[in-house]
Amino acid sequence: MSRYDPAAIEPKWQKIWDEALTFKATRTAGKPKYYVLEMFPYPSGRIHIGHVRNYTMGDVIARYKKQNGFNVLHPMGFDAFGMPAENAAMASGGHPKDWTYSNIDTMVAQMKPLGFGLDWSRMFATCDPDYYGQQQALFLDMLHEGLVYRKNAVVNWDPVDMTVLANEQVENGRGWRSGALVERKELTQWFFKISDFSGELLDALDGLDDWPAKVKLMQANWIGRSRGLQFAFSTVEAPEGFDRIEVYTTRPDTLMGASFVGISPDHPLARHLERENPEVAAFVAECRKGGTTEEAIETAEKLGFDTGITVRHPFDTSWELPVYIANFILMDYGTGAIFGCPGHDQRDHDFCVKYGLPIVETFLPLDGEIDIQAAPFVPAKSEKVRYTRLIAGEEVQTGDEAVNAAVDVCEANGVGQGVTKYRLRDWGLSRQRYWGCPIPVVHCDSCGVVPEKKENLPIQLPDDVSFDVPGNPLDRHPTWRDCACPQCGAPAKRETDTMDTFVDSSWYFARFTAPDADTPTDLAEAEYWMNVDQYIGGIEHAILHLLYSRFFARAMHLTGHLPEKCKEPFNALFTQGMVTHAIYQTRNAEGRPVYHYPEAVTLKDGKGYLEDGTEVEIIPSAKMSKSKNNVVDPVAIIGQYGADTARWFVLSDSPPERDVEWTAAGAEAAHKHLARVYRACAEVAGADVPATQEDEALLREMHKAIHDVTMGVESFGFNAAIARLYAFTNALTKSRAGSAVKRQAALTLAQLMSPMTPHLSEEIWQLLGGEGLIADAPWPKADEAMLVEDTVTLPIQVNGKRRGELTVPKDMPKEEVEKLVLTHEAVERTLNGAAPKKLIVVPGRIVNVVV
RNA sequence: GCGGGCGUGGCGGAACCGGUAGACGCGCCGGAUUCAAAAUCCGGUUUCCGAAAGGAAGUGUGGGUUCGAGCCCCACCGCCCGCACCA
């Protein structure tokens, strides 16, 4: 009998699937489809065990759906534009394109041995001119539709590298690479009008029943809808043109408790004063310093500057409030100006205490005393309070009721109007970088900004660039910028900004339905394959990627590239956990940690030792990191145990939404189990035992396994499904059933395992003479009749504690069960002749005797 | 601070709708096979008392609802994640 040899069988079956085009997605009218997609990877260079887990989950779903008669679309591609490629080029002198494509080749070569049922013929990278050319076409259509516009925006500018930095590249106010102090620079940039969709993107979350509540909540918070009042204070002795200050408040009911008006350091009035008054200039300069990175310092201290200007209270014109410039007010939220109500806001309270401003309450708790001077009273808006300085409504009402009443009264009195505001801002897509999709517009001296003609697409990135000098290579390329104005034909210059890489990943799922179409999508294909039925990816994309994709799907519908039904492109979303691994560390003489590779550590009784006997500290379940020496390389695992073991292990033990810890012992155990399955099935293939009395018991086990594993796969309970498969394997190996039934059970076992361990399953299928490929074989169906037993074992509880059990025919009437229970030895002993207080019989489940 | 989630043996984790807590795996213990080892197979394994039969306790803590609570309700403790000067 041969041994389980993954190194031989895995490549064999991969070749067979390839040649049979087993996983090629084909559109057939009348046959249902299923589109399963895992978030595509960035081509960083090597695949990670986390990728293996992510793609294995998708593959289980894909193979399972195929066996259930669906036309499955399960594609793979690469999110290939982005800064690491440029950074690599700067560091080692190569070209981002070479670096990227060579990484893609490596990663594809690492992924193929894992045996994923992918339609590789649809593969693309977002840096393929074919893909980004279509993205440019899409951009032009969105521009035409009014979904894209230009405006000035502030960026982080590194004056040494002459480049724009992302927020996360600014460390302590300095560029992460150059170390130069980062400047705030205003540039004209392109924006997508995602804010037009704020309300819709928020409301539509309700319809996403198969999305994690957590993700929906994160998106809702990000969009941040608030209802409030916008109105203007009239000013006293303000510079010309500033006779009104617009403010926005979500608490108009506290208007009678206002103590001051605060404006942002970036507010037009502050900017005006800055030019005239050096003290103001010094203050706002202080406020702007460092930006977001020094938020620790900023949170500690709330600073204000009294402008000397005052405003009149809208309901009492003799009441004047001072106007402060305050460092905690953001220009891009609301109107950049607020009124401060210290009685009911901690921040305003701190501010008023610091600057000696009056503190009055507008409402009090229904019962009990509070000292509003000592601390603000900030109850939930849904809570009822008693108003002492009432604008509108009942004296006793909830904050929500009071806000609505206050808005109505203010509107009736001509004091502003109720407005709905969103936190979500427009999506700035311009990046002053080389390795991205060029924005297809032309700057013409006479015509201004002109969209490029579609027939000129793709506007390709030039290859002859270098990264040895700072700045954007597109800017300094000798000829690339030169072009003819698409409108007047005169010599003009191309836009040198490229698109944010989030644009690339906002529509790739649609492109997979027709990767070779000469328009962004093919409507017939999109109509058939969309939506993505199951999307799988990391929680880190809960907000941006998924929100941008939802926006893009709408934009693509408006521009005629997707049918209406695709406005929400992902029917179901699953966010998977990470694969973690223990860190083994000791400390050097200075007390700094020293990290050891797992191979160097021997484990004994839960403790780890180095070769010389030194005990190491074990930090369990840590995120894998190269610098901590705890990375598990999938290629090494496949070499050691084979792909099926890796696939089996990453799904076992932990629920898929949670992190799973990779342990050598666990991987070893998974491998041993697969070898055991192979042995057991090979034994069955060679046996010839006539039918026995145990046949039926094994068949019942088989049908239960079919039922449970099916449920497990359907509900993403892969760990539970695997546990069930262990149990079924045990049942098979221990059973003394005849060979015919055992063969049937083994074939079923192979099928139930096939989404997780496809190679081993095909091998067993072939060994036992299964018909065709297991990948094509219909998923087994549980026979309901075999799931129900003729007899049931009822636990007998006395006062809720289990005291014994009783085996009775399944449909025995309640009365008879009761009689039997009362004669049960344990019950008789407890009752001791007395009658029970109560007797509860739940048919088929349990019996409880109350004494 | 706000929002969300989680807490079950030595470990990862099961437990459908409120109905036998600890499935399955790891580890550990014992045994078989072997000259020996590896590999494999068999049995045991929540804790405490007991030789055993059996009994008692037990799902972070305290209370509640219920014939019955890991699951529902209230309060608290701990951990994790997300957001955050948002007017």
Side-chain angles (χ1 to χ4, degrees), chain A residues 25 30 33-34 82 100 116 165 167 232 241 358 366 407 433 592 639 705 727 737 742 751 768 797 827:
Chain A
K33 65 90 191 181
Y34 197 90
T100 304
F116 298 128
L165 299 176
N167 278 333
L366 293 183
V407 169
R433 307 207 152 268
R592 291 182 172 276
K742 278 201 156 193
Q751 275 193 289
L768 294 173
Q797 293 184 334
V827 176

Side-chain angles (χ1 to χ4, degrees), chain A residues 37-55 74-82 84 99-101 103-112 114 116 118 120 123-127 131 435 501 504-505 508-509 512 535-538 540-541 545 576:
Chain A
L37 182 66
E38 301 97 53
M39 291 181 185
F40 67 164
Y42 179 79
S44 57
R46 294 188 72 78
I47 65 163
H48 185 267
I49 195 78
H51 291 128
V52 176
R53 191 170 188 224
N54 189 201
Y55 306 144
H74 185 210
M76 180 55 67
F78 289 89
D79 188 15
F81 273 136
W99 184 86
T100 304
Y101 280 106
N103 284 351
I104 289 173
D105 289 346
T106 309
M107 288 172 76
V108 169
Q110 291 176 340
M111 280 159 79
K112 290 215 165 160
L114 282 156
F116 298 128
L118 292 163
W120 286 102
M123 183 182 116
F124 59 76
T126 55
C127 63
Y131 181 80
W435 193 233
T501 56
D504 311 334
S505 55
Y508 76 108
F509 50 88
F512 273 137
Y535 197 29
I536 304 171
E540 65 273 20
H541 293 112
H545 163 60
Q576 94 282 2

Side-chain angles (χ1 to χ4, degrees), chain A residues 263-278:
Chain A
I263 61 171
S264 163
D266 293 315
H267 191 275
L269 176 57
R271 298 207 156 193
H272 178 87
L273 296 171
E274 178 186 4
R275 283 193 286 275
E276 306 195 327
N277 183 337

Side-chain angles (χ1 to χ4, degrees), chain A residues 59-385:
Chain A
D59 202 32
V60 169
I61 301 291
R63 288 173 176 270
Y64 168 78
K65 289 290 175 184
K66 178 178 166 64
Q67 291 167 327
N68 276 282
F70 290 87
N71 273 339
V72 170
L73 172 57
H74 185 210
M76 180 55 67
F78 289 89
D79 188 15
F81 273 136
M83 298 203 311
E86 281 191 45
N87 294 337
M90 281 182 244
S92 54
H95 192 285
K97 185 175 168 179
D98 300 334
W99 184 86
T100 304
Y101 280 106
S102 119
N103 284 351
I104 289 173
D105 289 346
T106 309
M107 288 172 76
V108 169
Q110 291 176 340
M111 280 159 79
K112 290 215 165 160
L114 282 156
F116 298 128
L118 292 163
D119 181 354
W120 286 102
S121 72
R122 291 178 187 250
M123 183 182 116
F124 59 76
T126 55
C127 63
D128 296 343
D130 202 41
Y131 181 80
Y132 71 72
Q134 295 304 330
Q135 185 164 305
Q136 290 167 340
L138 204 51
F139 177 92
L140 293 177
D141 290 342
M142 286 170 74
L143 183 61
H144 186 254
E145 194 64 32
L147 295 166
V148 190
Y149 68 100
R150 293 177 93 208
K151 72 169 180 189
N152 283 335
V154 176
V155 295
N156 301 309
W157 179 258
D158 184 322
V160 172
D161 275 356
M162 299 216 296
T163 182
V164 171
L165 299 176
N167 278 333
E168 59 270 22
Q169 294 174 313
V170 181
E171 294 167 359
N172 295 321
R174 291 172 183 276
W176 68 296
R177 176 187 297 279
S178 69
L181 276 174
V182 169
E183 296 169 6
R184 289 160 66 111
K185 189 170 170 178
E186 213 167 68
L187 295 178
T188 306
Q189 310 217 57
W190 290 94
F191 286 83
F192 285 125
K193 288 196 88 172
I194 190 171
S195 66
D196 276 5
F197 298 80
S198 300
E200 197 194 323
L201 288 169
L202 182 66
D203 293 337
L205 288 172
D206 286 338
L208 299 175
D209 296 331
D210 292 318
W211 279 43
K214 182 181 179 161
V215 172
K216 289 191 278 187
L217 187 76
M218 283 164 76
Q219 291 215 355
N221 289 340
W222 186 262
I223 295 168
R225 174 153 57 197
S226 67
R227 171 83 183 155
L229 178 76
Q230 184 165 331
F231 68 99
F233 283 104
S234 55
T235 54
V236 180
E237 287 173 32
E240 209 185 314
F242 294 100
D243 46 330
R244 288 157 61 83
I245 296 177
E246 283 280 334
V247 300
Y248 172 68
T249 178
T250 55
R251 291 309 296 258
D253 57 318
T254 65
L255 191 47
M256 300 313 283
S259 282
F260 67 96
V261 165
I263 61 171
S264 163
D266 293 315
H267 191 275
L269 176 57
R271 298 207 156 193
H272 178 87
L273 296 171
E274 178 186 4
R275 283 193 286 275
E276 306 195 327
N277 183 337
E279 276 184 74
V280 176
F283 178 77
V284 298
E286 189 61 33
C287 290
R288 286 183 197 140
K289 202 187 268 177
T292 52
T293 49
E294 286 182 49
E295 62 181 46
I297 300 163
E298 290 189 49
T299 29
E301 178 102 82
K302 294 179 186 5
L303 298 173
F305 185 93
D306 188 350
T307 60
I309 299 168
T310 59
V311 297
R312 291 198 181 88
H313 194 282
F315 285 108
D316 177 0
T317 46
S318 65
W319 179 4
E320 292 189 10
L321 302 169
V323 176
Y324 278 77
I325 301 170
N327 63 344
F328 59 84
I329 299 167
L330 305 174
M331 189 57 218
D332 44 19
Y333 189 80
T335 59
I338 61 156
F339 73 79
C341 178
H344 307 292
D345 183 287
Q346 183 66 52
R347 201 180 43 209
D348 294 347
H349 195 275
D350 295 349
F351 193 84
C352 287
V353 168
K354 180 163 178 166
Y355 294 103
L357 297 166
I359 299 171
V360 294
E361 91 288 337
T362 58
F363 53 79
L364 292 170
L366 293 183
D367 46 3
E369 289 293 299
I370 52 158
D371 178 3
I372 204 79
Q373 302 304 318
F377 174 48
V378 194
K381 268 193 202 169
S382 53
E383 206 173 293
K384 279 200 171 175
V385 293

